[in-house]
Amino acid sequence: TGLFSMIPDTALYKTFFITELLSAVQSCIGDHRKQSSLQANFSELLSSEQNGEEMLELLIRETEKDMQMLMESMEKEDHQTTTLLVHHLLPLWEIVRVDVPLRELCQMLAEGNEMKNEKVLNAVNRVIVTGKQLIIQATEKIKEEGYE
């Protein structure tokens, strides 16, 4: 039997992994999230950089790595690693002004919410979606600036 079904053709069955849950949630809210996405502002990040392309490529690589680590820490229900990762990401995401989802997740973790709490899972999903959008926007910025 289905654990839950948010829309037709989207269901999870016991037992499932956190990554499957996050994927199901993302498929249910994907289009809505795209419409309300945060727009990164790279001006402060690049203002004193001599090599903007290198900085943006580093941002892309690190964000990809961090999103993977976030999914793994959630799957392991590792509250400490997840909290450390959020605090690691926060300063950079503040600079590019996409920190709102991270702040929400940080607050939930500080309140001691369980890792499988629906609110925490939704907050993690918003962080992952924002990370993906940040990667896309940084890639577009590289092309826009003619670095390639």
Side-chain angles (χ1 to χ4, degrees):
T1 61
L3 181 61
F4 72 90
S5 179
M6 298 177 84
I7 59 174
D9 300 326
T10 301
L12 288 179
Y13 300 93
K14 292 181 181 177
T15 59
F16 59 88
F17 293 102
I18 291 290
T19 52
E20 292 172 312
L21 178 60
L22 291 172
S23 178
V25 170
Q26 185 173 3
S27 72
C28 292
I29 63 172
D31 291 338
H32 172 70
R33 280 286 157 217
K34 288 177 188 171
Q35 294 171 359
S36 62
S37 66
L38 297 171
Q39 181 63 40
N41 182 336
F42 299 109
S43 59
E44 188 176 339
L45 180 69
L46 300 174
S47 66
S48 61
E49 276 301 314
Q50 292 181 348
N51 190 338
E53 179 181 19
E54 186 177 307
M55 176 55 74
L56 290 168
E57 288 175 349
L58 178 63
L59 171 69
I60 292 167
R61 283 192 309 273
E62 290 300 308
T63 302
E64 288 171 339
K65 182 181 78 174
D66 291 340
M67 294 303 97
Q68 182 63 39
M69 289 173 56
L70 179 60
M71 287 189 293
E72 290 170 4
S73 70
M74 287 300 297
E75 190 163 311
K76 294 176 185 174
E77 297 182 51
D78 186 344
H79 191 278
Q80 182 179 6
T81 299
T82 303
T83 301
L84 290 172
L85 186 56
V86 167
H87 286 286
H88 165 76
L89 287 166
L90 202 50
L92 179 59
W93 284 30
E94 285 175 339
I95 291 171
V96 295
R97 296 184 174 92
V98 295
D99 57 306
V100 172
L102 269 178
R103 289 190 177 284
E104 291 171 356
L105 177 57
C106 187
Q107 179 66 36
M108 288 178 197
L109 294 172
E111 292 170 355
N113 286 301
E114 292 185 24
M115 300 297 283
K116 285 194 174 185
N117 176 306
E118 185 178 346
K119 290 180 182 179
V120 173
L121 294 172
N122 287 334
V124 168
N125 189 59
R126 286 190 296 274
V127 168
I128 291 170
V129 168
T130 301
K132 289 178 180 179
Q133 291 171 346
L134 182 58
I135 291 166
I136 291 167
Q137 292 172 23
T139 302
E140 289 172 354
K141 182 73 171 173
I142 290 171
K143 292 176 184 174
E144 177 184 303
E145 294 296 322
Y147 294 129
E148 292 190 320

